[in-house]
Amino acid sequence: MNATKRKFNALLNGIGNKSTTTLASREVNNGDQADQTTADNTDTQAKKRRISSSTSIPARISSSLTRPRTMATIVHKKSASVAHPTSTETPKYAPWDRAEFLKRLKSFSNLTDWTPKPARVNEVEWAKRGWVCQKSERVRCCLCNVEILVKLNKKEVDGKEEPVYVAQNIEDALVDKYVELIISSHDESCLWKKRGCDDSIFKLPLNHPPTTIESLRERYHELLERSQTLPYPFNMRTPEGFDLELVLSYLPAGFFNSPTSGDQSNSAPAEVNKVAFMMALFGWQGHKHERLGTQLGSVSCHACFRVLGLWIFKSKEVNEAGEEVAGAVVDRLDVIKEHRDYCPWQNAKSQNGKNPTKTSTSSMAGWEIVLRILKNDHHLRTAKDPQARKARSPGTANEVVQVGVDDDDAKSIRDEKDKERWARLRRVKSLFETKHKRRSTASKAAGS
C-alpha cells in the first residue's frame, strides 16, 4: 500500500515537473520569438529609412540650395506656434493698421543702422511692404522672415568700395533693382508680396477738429515742461509768411491753461511760451526714450521719428537785453526742414497720398491743415458770438487778413452745407413720388 502511494506521488511530481519545464521553455521560446520579431521589424524600418532617405537626399539638397532661409523659417514658425499661441501676438499682416506701420517705420530711425536712401526705396516704402530694419542696412519681413542686405550706399571707385552718404548720388539702375526687390523678395506665399499698405497710410489723423486742437494743446504742454532748454525766439525759423500773432488769435479761451486747472474758459490767462507753441504747431513734442524715459533736453516727431537735441539750437550766451552774445552750434531751428523729407508734417504727398481726391486740403501738408482747422474753428465760434467779433480792435493789418480768411472759409462752409441740404431734399422728395407719377412723367417724356 505504501509502495503504491510512493509510486503515485512520484508520478504526480514527475508530471508537475514536466509541465513546469514545458511552460518555462514555451515562455523562453515565446520571448525569443518576440525578440526576433522586434529585431526583424527594427531591421525592416531601418531599411525603409535608408531607402527613403537615399531617395530624398537629392530633393533636400536641391531645395536647400534654392530656398534655405524659407525652409528654416517655416520650421521655426511651426514650432513657435505650438509653444506660443498666436492669438496673443500682434498681427503680422495688417496693411490697414497705421500704428503697426509706424512701428515698422520706427525701426529704421537709427542712423547707425539705416542711412538715407532715395525716395523710391526709402524706409517708408520698405515699411509699407512689411519690412523692418535689422541693423547694418539689413531688412527682414515681419511675416515670412526673409532678410535682405540693402547695399545701396556703397560705390566702387578704383576697385574699392566707398560709402555714399547723399541719396541723390546713388545710381538709378541700383535703385530700380531694389524697387523690384521690395516686392519680389518676399516668400511666394507671403501676403505682403500680394498687397502692401495704401499710399495714405502715413496720413496724420487731422479730420476731427476738436481732437486736432486738443492734440496741439497736449504737445504744447509737453514742450512747456522743457521751457528751460528750449531755444530762444530768435533761434527759430518758420515758413515764409507765417504770422504767429495771427495764429494765436485763432485759439479758444483757456487754450494755454494747464489741463489740471478745471474749467478752461473761466481760468486766468496763462503766460504763453511762443517757442513751445510754434514747435507744437509744426508737429514737435516731448521726447521719451524707450529705456531712459523722458528726456527734457530733446524733442521728437511721432510721425517721422526725428529726434532733436535742443542744446544744439540754443544760443550759448545771451546778455541782459536778450541779445545773442555767443551763437548756437546750429544757426537756426527750422521747424519744417528738421522733419524728415517724407514726414507728413511737411510733405503734402505723404499726408494725402500720391493721387488724392481733389479737396481744399489735398495739396496741404500737416501743419497747413492744422492752421486751416484753427481758422475755421475760430470763425464758427465768433459767428455764434457777435460780441466777440465786435471786441476785436479794427484797423490793424492782421485783422484785415483774418476777416478775409474768415469770410472765405464761411463762404465755402455755407456752399458745402447748401449742397448737402439740397441733396437731402431731393432724396426725401424721391421717397414720396408714387409709381403712377413716375410712369406719367416717363410717358410724357416719351411722347414729347
Side-chain angles (χ1 to χ4, degrees):
M1 189 68 178
N2 293 331
T4 303
K5 281 185 179 181
R6 284 195 298 272
K7 288 180 181 180
F8 185 75
N9 291 332
L11 180 62
L12 289 176
N13 292 333
I15 292 171
N17 292 336
K18 186 176 181 180
S19 63
T20 303
T21 305
T22 304
L23 288 172
S25 63
R26 282 181 182 175
E27 289 174 359
V28 171
N29 291 335
N30 289 340
D32 292 340
Q33 288 176 2
D35 292 341
Q36 183 64 32
T37 303
T38 304
D40 292 341
N41 291 338
T42 303
D43 293 339
T44 304
Q45 292 175 359
K47 288 178 181 178
K48 287 182 179 179
R49 283 197 298 269
R50 286 197 297 272
I51 292 170
S52 61
S53 62
S54 63
T55 56
S56 62
I57 283 174
R60 285 208 304 267
I61 292 175
S62 174
S63 177
S64 64
L65 287 174
T66 54
R67 299 192 68 82
R69 265 194 320 270
T70 306
M71 294 287 289
T73 301
I74 292 171
V75 174
H76 175 72
K77 287 197 301 188
K78 286 181 179 179
S79 62
S81 63
V82 175
H84 305 285
T86 56
S87 60
T88 58
E89 295 179 357
T90 55
K92 295 181 179 179
Y93 179 73
W96 56 85
D97 195 326
R98 185 175 184 269
E100 290 299 316
F101 164 76
L102 291 177
K103 285 182 184 178
R104 295 192 297 273
L105 183 62
K106 189 177 182 180
S107 67
F108 293 87
S109 59
N110 194 334
L111 287 175
T112 60
D113 298 334
W114 183 264
T115 48
K117 307 287 188 295
R120 294 168 61 207
V121 288
N122 64 11
E123 47 265 50
V124 177
E125 299 304 319
W126 290 96
K128 283 181 181 178
R129 278 286 174 172
W131 300 97
V132 294
C133 185
Q134 284 291 97
K135 295 185 178 181
S136 302
E137 309 291 352
R138 186 179 293 274
V139 296
R140 175 181 59 82
C141 173
C142 62
L143 183 60
C144 64
N145 290 332
V146 172
E147 292 189 1
I148 308 174
L149 180 63
V150 186
K151 295 184 67 175
L152 270 166
N153 296 80
K154 298 287 183 182
K155 190 175 183 179
E156 264 195 30
V157 178
D158 298 331
K160 295 181 180 180
E161 281 192 347
E162 292 186 359
V164 178
Y165 297 107
V166 182
Q168 287 77 9
N169 294 342
I170 298 174
E171 297 178 1
D172 291 337
L174 199 55
V175 173
D176 293 337
K177 174 188 173 183
Y178 279 99
V179 168
E180 181 182 351
L181 288 176
I182 289 176
I183 301 174
S184 63
S185 297
H186 287 285
D187 187 73
E188 289 298 328
S189 61
C190 184
L191 295 173
W192 285 112
K193 187 170 187 176
K194 299 175 183 177
R195 181 195 168 191
C197 297
D198 189 76
D199 287 334
S200 61
I201 191 70
F202 211 0
K203 184 175 182 177
L204 295 167
L206 303 174
N207 54 338
H208 187 241
T211 304
T212 300
I213 295 173
E214 182 59 28
S215 298
L216 172 62
R217 186 164 165 267
E218 290 175 1
R219 292 196 300 273
Y220 169 77
H221 284 286
E222 284 184 18
L223 294 169
L224 194 61
E225 295 176 0
R226 295 155 173 80
S227 57
Q228 298 299 320
T229 56
L230 288 174
Y232 299 103
F234 53 79
N235 292 137
M236 307 297 291
R237 178 178 291 152
T238 56
E240 186 177 355
F242 175 76
D243 190 338
L244 177 60
E245 297 300 326
L246 179 59
V247 176
L248 290 173
S249 69
Y250 294 149
L251 300 175
F255 178 88
F256 294 104
N257 294 330
S258 172
T260 59
S261 61
D263 187 2
Q264 301 297 320
S265 59
N266 296 329
S267 302
E271 185 179 354
V272 179
N273 188 315
K274 294 182 179 180
V275 173
F277 177 74
M278 273 193 292
M279 297 190 71
L281 182 67
F282 290 93
W284 299 101
Q285 59 192 102
H287 177 56
K288 187 175 182 180
H289 195 274
E290 292 180 355
R291 290 183 293 102
L292 303 177
T294 301
Q295 302 294 300
L296 296 179
S298 303
V299 296
S300 63
C301 169
H302 288 195
C304 67
F305 302 104
R306 178 96 157 108
V307 180
L308 302 180
L310 296 172
W311 63 90
I312 300 176
F313 303 96
K314 188 172 184 178
S315 297
K316 296 178 181 179
E317 188 179 348
V318 177
N319 59 23
E320 294 181 358
E323 299 172 345
E324 184 180 57
V325 176
V329 176
V330 177
D331 184 40
R332 292 287 185 270
L333 195 166
D334 194 319
V335 288
I336 287 295
K337 297 300 181 183
E338 287 299 333
H339 286 282
R340 301 189 195 275
D341 292 338
Y342 53 76
C343 183
W345 281 109
Q346 73 148 317
N347 191 313
K349 287 185 177 180
S350 295
Q351 173 61 22
N352 302 285
K354 294 179 181 177
N355 298 307
T357 303
K358 192 172 182 180
T359 62
S360 59
T361 60
S362 59
S363 60
M364 292 184 177
W367 71 273
E368 294 172 305
I369 296 175
V370 173
L371 278 184
R372 170 66 66 88
I373 289 172
L374 292 176
K375 292 175 185 177
N376 290 343
D377 180 73
H378 170 74
H379 167 75
L380 293 174
R381 280 186 285 104
T382 54
K384 293 178 182 178
D385 187 3
Q387 293 182 356
R389 184 179 289 274
K390 292 178 181 179
R392 292 177 304 183
S393 57
T396 62
N398 280 350
E399 184 183 3
V400 174
V401 176
Q402 180 177 342
V403 172
V405 171
D406 287 344
D407 291 343
D408 291 341
D409 289 340
K411 185 178 179 181
S412 63
I413 292 171
R414 284 196 301 270
D415 292 342
E416 290 178 2
K417 288 184 177 180
D418 287 342
K419 289 179 182 178
E420 292 177 0
R421 189 180 298 109
W422 280 111
R424 285 197 298 270
L425 288 173
R426 283 193 293 270
R427 286 197 296 270
V428 172
K429 184 180 178 181
S430 65
L431 294 175
F432 289 97
E433 288 184 352
T434 62
K435 293 183 178 179
H436 177 72
K437 186 176 180 180
R438 291 177 183 173
R439 288 175 182 172
S440 62
T441 305
S443 61
K444 286 180 182 180
S448 61

